[in-house]
Amino acid sequence: MHNDEKTWILPFGEPAELEMHTDWGNVSLVPVEAGQPPRIELSRGSIDRVAVRIEKVAEVVRVALDPQRGVSLFGGWECRATLHVPRTVRAHLQT
């Protein structure tokens, strides 16, 4: 976990396959660094406002980012998520 981010491990298998769904926010996919685990990181401003759901179905890792209850999508807040994934990941994103 980094200083200003909350981190969740992404349990990829071989081959790595990702399905991601979010209706809002700023999402970045970047290659995972050598020696580091695949993961999702939320910025400090997002931690209390975002519900992260991760599940693995067969070999597919499913990630959903949803606003917490009581959070207005029209308010002045942010959602910034970075997914560190294997270079060979097969990703399906719905935003």
Side-chain angles (χ1 to χ4, degrees):
M1 184 162 71
H2 294 280
N3 232 3
D4 59 345
E5 297 172 317
K6 178 118 186 199
T7 303
W8 289 261
I9 300 300
L10 297 172
F12 288 114
E14 260 317 305
E17 188 164 353
L18 170 70
E19 289 181 3
M20 171 141 188
H21 172 79
T22 187
D23 288 331
W24 49 278
N26 181 345
V27 178
S28 301
L29 267 65
V30 299
V32 68
E33 307 90 346
Q36 296 294 315
R39 64 197 182 278
I40 182 170
E41 297 174 343
L42 294 182
S43 66
R44 179 179 21 209
S46 304
I47 293 171
D48 295 331
R49 297 175 176 101
V50 178
V52 177
R53 289 184 293 126
I54 299 171
E55 66 178 334
K56 187 169 182 181
V57 177
E59 292 303 314
V60 178
V61 174
R62 293 182 177 161
V63 177
L65 302 178
D66 299 309
Q68 293 281 18
R69 295 190 98 133
V71 173
S72 169
L73 293 177
F74 302 106
W77 58 275
E78 69 178 43
C79 171
R80 294 186 187 273
T82 304
L83 282 79
H84 298 261
V85 297
R87 290 185 184 274
T88 59
V89 72
R90 194 170 157 183
H92 307 274
L93 296 134
Q94 180 182 5
T95 59

